[in-house]
Amino acid sequence: MAQVARVLWPVPHALAWRLGGRLQSALPAQSRAGFAGAAGGPGPAATARKGSPRLLGAAALALGGVLGLYHTARWHLRAQDLRAERSAAQLSLSSRLQLTLYQYKTCPFCSKVRAFLDFHALPYQVVEVNPVRRAEIKFSSYRKVPILLAQEGESLQQLNDSSVIISALKTYLVSGQPLEDIITYYPPMKAVNDQGKEVTEFCNKYWLMLDEKEAQRMYGGKEARTEEMKWRQWADDWLVHLISPNVYRTPAEALASFDYIVREGKFGTVEGAVAKYMGAAAMYLISKRLKSRHHLQDDVREDLYEAANKWVAAVGKDQPFMGGQQPNLADLFRGISLDRPDDSAASGGKGHSHGPSFLSPPHLEGAGKDARTPGSGSPSRSYMTPHRSHSRAGDGGWF
């Protein structure tokens, strides 16, 4: 039996080989390739398996790139939609307000309020106040300018002090809170200044009353908010004291300043003549007292140059504004105009449309000659608006 098996063993193999050969020849080329691969040969399937990881990686990268572009485009479109929504919301809010600004045209406090209103495209009416009689603001117990009357529906609110006006309106535009409520965040407070005179100061006047999300959206971080407040206050606490000593440095400069003030202000003929000569003499003497009180240099221009250079250095070389690519409140209201301001030419007689102004008679033109943008060789856009010339509390008193 074993011998028979050994004899027959080659027969099935030979038959299988013959059948297999015939079957293989009868199969399509792809099937034969498959058989060859199954038998251990390097068929196309094996080659495809070797290249498949590379193909899958390339496909994954392509898919990731497409998804990244999609989400980037979607984010940009959403950001544009949000900006458009906020602009529309601010436009809706601003349309609810009817604003009337009581001002002296040459007053820097009033100039910075006009700058804010113009920058935010808020429509307003101007009432020029006679600096002697001030009959236009007889309705108010607060006797300084600027004063802003804001009509919101049936509610009429009076806003005093330029910094309070700006902070309250900006809070209103960002948050949408009723202006009547916002004003309560800036209560007036009686205080006694260094000269023993009772003055009115306003609490929180550099703060915008925003919740956490609103503040994050506006500033992006606490540091930017702190810097804005710091420089707004810097102008009040230091820069203001440099203005009168520079404007009224000599009798001739004091007279030129008051000639401009009288010409641009609302004075009668007699009032204008009295203000021009008596005001110039008084402010020349006051400027000397201020120079001594604040320990200014003999050449007060040097203190002004140093202040302007300090601002330029703080802004830095990598951004156009203290607020970065867009001006913040510190930028808008720290502007010294090196040319004589011309409100009528700038905005049709309503106020400056390109920023704040500083009373700058011809003898002060070029006062910022050393305040140059680093690397530019040209005068910087240093926004540093002067404030009052007498005390730290409140606006007004500018002559």
Side-chain angles (χ1 to χ4, degrees), residues 114 118 124 126 342-355:
R114 289 199 309 268
D118 291 336
Y124 61 98
V126 168
D342 183 354
D343 289 348
S344 298
S347 57
K350 187 181 71 170
H352 283 283
S353 60
H354 301 293

Side-chain angles (χ1 to χ4, degrees), residues 35-183:
F35 277 118
T47 305
R49 282 196 300 273
K50 290 181 180 179
S52 59
R54 296 181 181 178
L55 292 175
L56 289 174
L61 286 175
L63 181 60
V66 171
L67 289 174
L69 290 173
Y70 168 74
H71 285 292
T72 300
R74 183 179 179 184
W75 182 85
H76 280 294
L77 290 173
R78 179 56 180 163
Q80 291 178 355
D81 290 342
L82 288 174
R83 285 195 293 270
E85 289 172 7
R86 287 198 292 267
S87 298
Q90 289 192 0
L91 182 61
S92 175
L93 288 171
S94 65
S95 65
R96 301 178 195 172
L97 292 179
Q98 296 180 11
L99 304 176
T100 304
L101 176 64
Y102 292 80
Q103 66 159 21
Y104 303 150
K105 184 177 180 180
T106 58
C107 169
F109 309 104
C110 302
S111 293
K112 74 173 187 175
V113 172
R114 289 199 309 268
F116 176 88
L117 297 173
D118 291 336
F119 182 79
H120 290 85
L122 295 173
Y124 61 98
Q125 295 181 334
V126 168
V127 175
E128 192 69 22
V129 176
N130 182 291
V132 177
R133 295 191 302 270
R134 292 184 285 183
E136 294 80 3
I137 56 173
K138 64 182 179 181
F139 62 86
S140 173
S141 59
Y142 184 82
R143 303 297 291 169
K144 298 178 180 180
V145 292
I147 293 173
L148 186 73
L149 294 186
Q151 181 84 38
E152 183 185 18
E154 299 297 323
S155 174
L156 178 64
Q157 303 298 323
Q158 177 177 329
L159 286 77
N160 306 321
D161 187 275
S162 59
S163 293
V164 171
I165 292 171
I166 290 162
S167 295
L169 286 181
K170 187 65 175 180
T171 298
Y172 175 80
L173 292 175
V174 174
S175 70
Q177 302 174 58
L179 193 59
E180 183 177 5
D181 295 342
I182 294 173
I183 294 175

Side-chain angles (χ1 to χ4, degrees), residues 211-290:
D211 63 27
E212 187 174 346
K213 289 184 179 179
E214 293 163 347
Q216 180 67 26
R217 188 176 72 224
M218 180 171 175
Y219 294 106
K222 293 182 179 180
E223 183 178 352
R225 187 177 196 176
T226 302
E227 282 294 296
E228 180 185 81
M229 294 172 59
K230 167 188 168 182
W231 287 101
R232 290 180 70 187
Q233 188 169 3
W234 171 79
D236 286 352
D237 290 347
W238 172 242
L239 183 66
V240 59
H241 302 301
L242 306 179
I243 304 307
S244 289
N246 274 277
V247 172
Y248 308 111
R249 187 176 56 164
T250 67
E253 290 176 355
L255 190 62
S257 295
F258 267 86
D259 179 68
Y260 174 75
I261 289 171
V262 169
R263 186 169 64 253
E264 296 295 326
K266 185 178 180 180
F267 290 90
T269 303
V270 176
E271 291 171 342
V274 171
K276 178 177 178 179
Y277 293 100
M278 295 187 64
M283 288 309 302
Y284 170 72
L285 297 175
I286 290 173
S287 70
K288 301 306 176 187
R289 290 168 50 194
L290 292 173

